[in-house]
Amino acid sequence: MTIDDISRRGILKGGSALAVAMPAIASAQAKVPNGSAGGKMTSVTMTINGEDRHLDLDPRTTLLDALREHLHQTGTKKGCDHGQCGACTVIVEGRRINSCLTLAVMHDGDSVTTIEGLGSPDKLHPMQKAFIVHDGYQCGYCTPGQICSAVAMLDEIEAGIPSHVTDDLEKVRFSDDELRERMSGNICRCAAYPNIIAAIRDVAGKDAA
Ligand code: FES
Ligand code: FES
C-alpha cells in the first residue's frame, strides 16, 4: 500500500461519511423554526434613529445583526464580530458601544443611533462633514464606526469622563493624546488616523496639542 492509496482511501471514506451526515444535518435544520434553533423568539422594541421598531428575534441575535440583517440598516459595519475593530460602533442611550458584543434583547426600550441617524446626504452631521473635508477615510469600511465613536467620544470629554492618559482627573484636558487613546478601539486598516484626528479636532474647535 502506498501513501497515495492511503490518502485516496481516507478521502473516499471521509466523503462517504459526509454524504451520510448531510441529510441528517439538513433534516435537523428543517426542524428549526425561523432560525431560532427551536427556542422561543423574543419580542424587542427599540427606537432606531428616532423611529420605534419592533422585532421578534432569536434571543441570541446581536444588536449588530438586528440592525443589519433584520432592519437593513447596513451603514453599521461588521468587521471582526469579536469586539476588536470598532467597525460596528453605534450610540445607545448616548453611549458608544460595539454592537457586535451586545444582544439586541438587552436593549429593549433603548434608543439607538447609527450612522444613518446622525445625518443624511442632504444634511450631514458636522462630524461627517469634517471626515470629508479632512479626508478621514480611504476604503470607508471603518468610517461609520469611527464617526459614531467620535461623536460620543467628544461628549465623554465634555462630561469630564477621564481616560487612561488623563493626567488630572479633576479636569479632563482636550489633547491629541486623549483623542488617540479614546479612539483606540476603532481600527482603520487604511491607517487614516492623522486625518481622523484632524477631523475630530476640527469639530471640537481645537488646535493640535
Ligand atoms: Fe464589532 Fe469588530 S465588528 S468590534
Ligand atoms: Fe479603510 Fe478605515 S478607511 S479601514
Side-chain angles (χ1 to χ4, degrees), residues 64 77-88 98-101:
L64 175 60
K77 302 300 181 213
K78 182 181 280 190
C80 62
D81 210 17
H82 284 90
Q84 293 171 350
C85 73
C88 65
N98 288 338
S99 58
C100 71
L101 284 188

